[in-house]
Amino acid sequence: MAFQKAFAVLLIASLVLVHFTHALQQGNSSKPPAPSPQAPKPLDCTGACKYRCSETSRPNLCNRACGSCCRTCHCVPPGTSGNYEACPCYFNLTTHNNTRKCP
């Protein structure tokens, strides 16, 4: 009789242990799925260049050069001048005379 009680207690304890182990494994593996890779949002080159060239003395020339650089690099540095570290491609484009192309 004592053997049957011990066996029943051991069986119930084993089932409870298996249940909790299974629950813990499901809890660890239920991480949210990684977001699917999406194409980067296209940059509004016209608006970005309009702001970039807002303080220049030659806005048409600036907008034309900025637009060309934006279409090539898909970025425009923030602000009205400088900040080239935000868009290295924009900084590295040069003309045939090896001067910086992008304003």
Side-chain angles (χ1 to χ4, degrees), residues 25-80:
Q25 287 176 347
Q26 284 183 342
N28 289 341
S29 66
S30 64
K31 296 176 184 170
S36 61
Q38 298 175 350
K41 294 180 182 176
L43 177 64
D44 175 24
C45 289
T46 305
C49 289
K50 186 174 182 178
Y51 177 71
R52 180 81 176 168
C53 298
S54 64
E55 295 181 6
T56 185
S57 61
R58 300 180 67 188
N60 291 337
L61 177 66
C62 181
N63 279 315
R64 188 174 65 232
C66 178
S68 174
C69 295
C70 179
R71 284 188 298 278
T72 301
C73 297
H74 306 289
C75 64
V76 174
T80 56

Side-chain angles (χ1 to χ4, degrees), residues 11-42:
L11 182 63
I12 291 172
S14 297
L15 290 174
V16 169
L17 182 63
V18 168
H19 176 71
F20 283 126
T21 304
H22 183 68
L24 285 174
Q25 287 176 347
Q26 284 183 342
N28 289 341
S29 66
S30 64
K31 296 176 184 170
S36 61
Q38 298 175 350
K41 294 180 182 176

Side-chain angles (χ1 to χ4, degrees), residues 7 48 94 100 102:
F7 181 74
T94 57
R100 281 200 335 246
C102 308

